[in-house]
């Protein structure tokens, strides 16, 4: 399995950078930046519920690594479940590897063995690994005790799901980066009427960006009603 060499902006979306992350625990961004740029040899295990920003940080670490001249790779484990050995083999030679969503392969012995072997090879080669999961290693349902032990040795960062203020801050920050005028009333309306899943809200913001450009209109509550009623 080959890994295409794409431009940085295509592999790692510009919205997903360390400096744009909202609600990080104290010291977490500095820890992640050090891991990405080679300032630290510590490996990182990000744990948090859905919507806490694990994927954002995994992509951001890869982007920061490449900006520092280091080769990186991001692998969503859900996409590689059942054939993880082949997927990991394609990542050999990178300086930084982010493995997102350990939950997807927990309990699958073949994938766990492949990950255990890759973990050991990466350690010997001086590669930096970042893992993400919804729970600590002991609570993931891993069937390979040695893998659970290795993962438990990583430095751990605990993320919390964002509250409405945090979700609003994310939407506001991303709107600013796109040059969108998104006032507080529009943000409040989105949070109360369209659900609070952050990933869904970000996708919706992308759609609203396109719709507002096409209509040459600001994103106001009446505009939101019109767009969403038409969907």
């Amino acid at each position: 399995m080959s890994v295409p060499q794409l431009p940085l902006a295509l592999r790692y979306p510009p919205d997903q950078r360390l400096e744009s992350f909202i609600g990080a625990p104290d010291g977490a961004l500095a820890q992640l930046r050090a891991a990405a740029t080679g300032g630290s040899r510590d490996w990182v295990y990000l744990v948090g519920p859905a919507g806490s920003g694990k994927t954002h940080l995994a992509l951001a670490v890869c982007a920061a690594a490449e900006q520092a001249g280091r080769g990186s790779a991001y692998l969503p484990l859900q996409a590689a479940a059942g054939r993880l050995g082949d997927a990991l083999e394609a990542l050999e030679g990178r300086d930084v590897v982010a493995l997102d969503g350990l939950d997807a392969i927990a309990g699958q012995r073949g994938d766990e063995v492949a990950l255990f072997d890759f973990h050991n090879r990466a350690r010997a080669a001086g590669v930096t690994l970042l893992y993400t999961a919804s729970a600590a290693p002991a609570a993931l349902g891993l069937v390979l005790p040695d893998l659970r032990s290795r993962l438990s040795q990583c430095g751990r960062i605990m993320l919390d799901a964002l509250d409405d203020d945090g979700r609003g801050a994310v939407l506001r920050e991303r709107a600013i980066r796109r040059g969108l005028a998104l006032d507080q009333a529009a943000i409040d309306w989105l949070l109360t009427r369209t659900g609070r899943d952050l990933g869904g809200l970000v996708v919706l913001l992308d759609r609203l960006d396109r719709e507002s450009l096409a209509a040459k209109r600001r994103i106001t509550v009446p505009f939101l009603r019109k767009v969403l009623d038409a969907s």
Side-chain angles (χ1 to χ4, degrees):
M1 180 187 299
S2 62
V3 179
Q5 293 299 303
L6 299 173
L8 177 64
L10 295 180
R11 277 178 291 165
Y12 309 124
D15 281 336
Q16 292 169 319
R17 297 289 188 266
L18 292 174
E19 57 269 20
S20 66
F21 189 79
I22 303 294
D26 290 344
L29 296 183
Q31 181 180 352
L32 290 168
R33 189 174 298 281
T37 60
S40 168
R41 294 181 61 84
D42 291 341
W43 289 7
V44 180
Y45 187 103
L46 284 172
V47 56
S52 58
K54 298 187 297 296
T55 294
H56 179 134
L57 289 175
L59 290 165
V61 163
C62 289
E66 298 234 342
Q67 288 167 344
R70 307 181 79 202
S72 71
Y74 165 82
L75 179 65
L77 294 180
Q78 179 66 52
R83 54 184 182 85
L84 187 56
D86 291 338
L88 292 173
E89 186 176 346
L91 306 183
E92 301 285 353
R94 306 302 174 92
D95 300 304
V96 177
V97 175
L99 301 174
D100 191 12
L102 283 168
D103 312 70
I105 60 95
Q108 301 188 46
R109 185 173 184 83
D111 283 348
E112 289 190 24
V113 169
L115 182 56
F116 176 74
D117 290 343
F118 179 76
H119 182 107
N120 290 336
R121 293 197 305 274
R123 180 66 76 185
V127 177
T128 297
L129 294 188
L130 178 145
Y131 295 102
T132 82
S134 66
L140 267 184
L142 297 166
V143 298
L144 201 64
D146 286 343
L147 176 60
R148 186 164 57 245
S149 174
R150 295 291 194 278
L151 294 173
S152 296
Q153 294 169 9
C154 297
R156 199 169 305 176
I157 296 175
M158 306 289 294
L159 301 175
D160 294 321
L162 291 174
D163 58 15
D164 278 357
D165 287 343
R167 293 184 186 92
V170 170
L171 291 176
R172 191 178 304 107
E173 191 272 343
R174 293 202 174 193
I176 290 171
R177 285 176 175 269
R178 288 169 168 77
L180 290 175
L182 191 63
D183 61 25
Q184 190 60 46
I187 291 173
D188 291 342
W189 193 92
L190 282 171
L191 292 174
T192 57
R193 303 297 178 87
T194 62
R196 288 173 164 79
D197 173 66
L198 186 57
L201 286 168
V202 170
V203 170
L204 177 57
L205 184 63
D206 290 338
R207 177 188 167 194
L208 293 171
D209 187 3
R210 296 190 299 271
E211 297 274 2
S212 66
L213 284 172
K216 295 183 172 60
R217 290 184 55 182
R218 293 177 62 250
I219 300 178
T220 61
V221 171
F223 179 74
L224 290 172
R225 288 198 181 99
K226 179 181 179 181
V227 169
L228 296 179
D229 285 347
S231 61

